[in-house]
């Protein structure tokens, strides 16, 4: 029996100048996604990623937006080229927002604005004198937490906390500069290998409380949809429990994204959860291969591929042997098509509702262990046509995609 696929989305720190250049040249979906972002943000996203750099001296938001765009572009390529329905989506820190966007919770245009606001809010919450981060390798999290508490109690108002639990032997600490420096020295004396990180924003610590509250208020201004696939929360290391009929459950996503700013990222537990759920393949979608490396170390029974690595990319494409079904392929076409519409009402009626129709049919088929009827195939095709039309897909491309879906339907 074929195992499950999980899609992973990297966070801030994985970016590098030159990222996405090869994929931008190779895939139209990448170019279209970059163009969509450039139209929305009025910044030269492609030039920034390929040549200019991420304007760190101005704001961390530029690098974070670049990571979001790159991950969404990679996801669209995955859905088009591979098309295997993921069992779970999970993102590290900022990557959680990428995962939610790819799951349909946010439109890309809205997610880009949210990321910019998130970055600026975190910078505004950074204490006078700046914060600091450091990666601690070779000690378990309990020993690191003990040292952080000891340093904070003796730090005269300076505090340090665990910000990310990346693996059993890799933890990130963050807080006030002096406290991080003191804790780093003490941990090094205990045998840890400590690496200072190039950031003055103390991510995922109580210092970000003002930013978390501002982000919560900002998120409430956007339309939020139920995720098409289970998305794991950094705060709980478990999927958001979302009932598509309950507005209150969608508010849990807002709460989770806000709480994430003040809570440590539980990535090691996220990997353990995926392992326990029977995931066999993990594909990192975005620049670099940080999460794929962590997965290989933590879960040897999961085959981890990095989209931004030539060998990993080729292995990812081999997942096509899992043979996505007609209905999976239709969902893949629906999510990978660029959205050219700015009308939220039309988007809700023409994209979100038809997508939910296809998703509900898929769930019913799985539960009943049966095949699609001819009438149901027609319903799926009509829904897909509605989605492509509402997204503003050009007629020649729309008809080619519909023909592709119809060809698969002929084999159902």
């Amino acid at each position: 029996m074929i195992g499950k696929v999980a899609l992973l989305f990297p966070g801030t720190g994985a970016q590098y100048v030159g990222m996405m250049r090869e994929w931008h040249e190779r895939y139209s979906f990448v170019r279209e996604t970059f163009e969509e972002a450039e139209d929305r943000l009025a910044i030269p996203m492609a030039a920034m990623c390929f040549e200019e750099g991420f304007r760190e001296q101005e704001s961390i938001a530029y690098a974070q937006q670049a990571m979001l765009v790159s991950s969404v572009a990679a996801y669209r390529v995955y859905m088009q080229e591979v098309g295997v329905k993921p069992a779970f989506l999970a993102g590290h820190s900022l990557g959680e927002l990428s995962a939610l966007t790819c799951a349909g919770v946010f439109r890309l245009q809205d997610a880009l604005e949210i990321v910019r606001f998130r970055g600026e809010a975190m910078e505004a919450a950074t204490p006078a004198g700046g914060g600091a981060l450091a990666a601690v390798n070779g000690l378990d999290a309990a020993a690191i937490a003990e040292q952080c508490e000891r340093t904070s109690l003796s730090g005269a108002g300076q505090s340090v906390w665990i910000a990310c639990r990346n693996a059993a032997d890799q933890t990130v600490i963050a807080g006030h500069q002096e406290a991080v420096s003191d804790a780093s020295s003490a941990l090094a004396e205990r045998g840890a290998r400590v690496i200072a990180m190039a950031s003055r924003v103390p991510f995922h610590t109580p210092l970000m409380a003002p930013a978390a509250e501002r982000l919560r208020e900002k998120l409430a201004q956007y339309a939020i949809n139920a995720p098409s696939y289970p998305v794991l929360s950094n705060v709980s290391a478990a999927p958001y429990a979302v009932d598509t009929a309950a507005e209150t459950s969608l508010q849990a996503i807002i709460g989770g994204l806000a709480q994430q700013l003040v809570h440590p990222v539980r990535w090691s537990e996220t990997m353990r959860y995926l392992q326990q759920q029977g995931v066999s393949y993990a594909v990192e979608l975005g620049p670099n291969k940080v999460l794929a490396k962590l997965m290989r170390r933590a879960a040897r029974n999961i085959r981890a591929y990095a989209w931004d690595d030539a060998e990993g990319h080729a292995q990812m494409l081999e997942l096509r042997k899992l043979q996505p079904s007609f209905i999976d392929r239709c969902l893949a076409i629906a999510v990978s098509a660029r959205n050219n519409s700015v009308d939220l009402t039309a988007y809700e009626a023409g994209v979100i509702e038809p997508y939910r129709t296809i998703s509900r049919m898929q769930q019913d088929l799985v539960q009943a262990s049966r095949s699609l009827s001819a009438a149901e195939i027609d319903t799926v095709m009509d829904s897909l046509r509605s989605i492509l039309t509402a997204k503003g897909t050009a007629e020649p491309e729309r008809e080619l995609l519909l023909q592709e879906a119809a060809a698969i339907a002929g084999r159902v």
Side-chain angles (χ1 to χ4, degrees):
M1 179 179 178
I2 296 296
K4 303 172 183 176
V5 176
L7 303 181
L8 312 179
F9 299 86
T12 311
Q15 72 273 7
Y16 62 92
V17 177
M19 71 183 194
M20 301 298 293
R21 183 197 300 270
E22 177 184 350
W23 313 119
H24 189 272
E25 294 172 354
R26 181 183 299 188
Y27 292 112
S28 61
F29 281 112
V30 176
R31 294 191 293 274
E32 290 170 1
T33 305
F34 270 70
E35 290 167 3
E36 191 175 347
E38 291 175 342
D39 290 345
R40 188 66 168 185
L41 299 173
I43 59 175
M45 182 65 70
M48 193 168 63
C49 289
F50 305 160
E51 302 166 358
E52 297 176 1
F54 306 103
R55 306 181 184 182
E56 287 89 345
Q57 72 282 2
E58 297 179 40
S59 173
I60 60 173
Y62 289 109
Q64 293 180 340
Q65 288 171 325
M67 289 298 298
L68 172 71
V69 172
S70 298
S71 289
V72 171
Y75 170 75
R76 289 174 173 176
V77 172
Y78 169 87
M79 294 303 291
Q80 175 65 23
E81 296 293 318
V82 180
V84 177
K85 177 185 175 183
F88 300 99
L89 274 61
H92 188 285
S93 187
L94 168 72
E96 183 180 324
L97 187 53
S98 300
L100 289 166
T101 302
C102 292
V105 174
F106 300 105
R107 298 189 311 156
L108 175 58
Q109 298 97 318
D110 294 339
L112 288 165
E113 293 182 356
I114 292 167
V115 167
R116 178 166 55 196
F117 182 88
R118 178 182 182 270
E120 293 171 351
M122 288 192 292
E123 288 176 322
T126 299
L133 293 91
V136 183
N137 299 278
L139 281 182
D140 64 73
I144 296 169
E146 177 191 2
Q147 182 60 57
C148 286
E149 183 176 4
R150 185 181 305 156
T151 300
S152 298
L153 289 173
S154 62
Q158 297 271 314
S159 298
V160 57
W161 300 267
I162 286 180
C164 303
R165 299 187 181 97
N166 287 338
D169 60 348
Q170 185 186 102
T171 302
V172 175
I173 61 174
H176 294 96
Q177 281 190 1
E178 185 178 332
V180 172
S181 177
D182 291 347
S184 297
S185 297
L187 291 166
E189 291 176 1
R190 298 173 67 171
R193 185 167 61 92
V194 183
I195 303 171
M197 301 175 68
S199 176
R200 62 187 301 275
V201 179
F203 301 99
H204 310 298
T205 71
L207 295 175
M208 293 290 102
E213 188 54 37
R214 289 181 62 195
L215 180 61
R216 187 189 304 272
E217 295 172 357
K218 184 70 172 178
L219 288 167
Q221 301 173 16
Y222 292 93
I224 297 180
N225 305 299
S228 303
Y229 316 107
V231 178
L232 275 65
S233 162
N234 282 186
V235 175
S236 66
Y240 283 105
V242 177
D243 179 352
T244 56
E247 178 64 26
T248 53
S249 66
L250 296 181
Q251 296 307 307
I253 295 175
I254 292 179
L257 287 174
Q259 291 178 52
Q260 188 213 69
L261 298 189
V262 296
H263 284 265
V265 173
R266 298 168 62 179
W267 193 252
S268 59
E269 294 165 87
T270 295
M271 293 189 292
R272 188 158 59 247
Y273 178 89
L274 295 175
Q275 191 173 26
Q276 292 169 347
Q277 296 302 309
V279 168
S280 297
Y281 304 92
V283 180
E284 182 174 5
L285 296 177
N288 234 311
K289 44 191 174 184
V290 176
L291 301 183
K293 287 181 177 179
L294 287 174
M295 182 65 79
R296 291 173 193 143
R297 287 167 49 192
R300 296 183 181 277
N301 61 319
I302 295 179
R303 297 181 184 178
Y305 307 143
W307 186 82
D308 198 29
D309 170 74
E311 182 180 355
H313 189 82
Q315 292 170 330
M316 178 198 79
L317 295 179
E318 284 299 308
L319 293 179
R320 286 180 290 198
K321 66 186 179 184
L322 303 190
Q323 297 178 344
S325 68
F326 160 69
I327 202 164
D328 283 343
R329 188 68 192 123
C330 288
L331 289 171
I333 292 171
V335 300
S336 60
R338 173 178 176 174
N339 175 42
N340 297 301
S341 172
V342 295
D343 187 332
L344 282 174
T345 302
Y347 188 86
E348 176 72 25
V351 178
I352 300 301
E353 287 305 322
Y355 190 92
R356 287 174 179 165
T357 296
I358 302 175
S359 295
R360 283 193 294 267
M361 291 177 67
Q362 183 187 55
Q363 293 168 5
D364 291 343
L365 291 173
V366 171
Q367 292 174 359
S369 298
R370 65 177 181 83
S371 301
L372 284 167
S373 66
E376 287 171 328
I377 290 175
D378 289 341
T379 298
V380 172
M381 290 295 294
D382 289 343
S383 297
L384 181 58
R385 181 180 294 277
S386 170
I387 291 169
L388 295 174
T389 301
K391 280 191 167 187
T393 304
E395 184 175 357
E397 180 183 358
R398 182 173 69 236
E399 292 308 313
L400 282 175
L401 292 171
L402 290 169
Q403 289 172 19
E404 177 188 342
I408 299 175
R411 299 195 295 269
V412 172

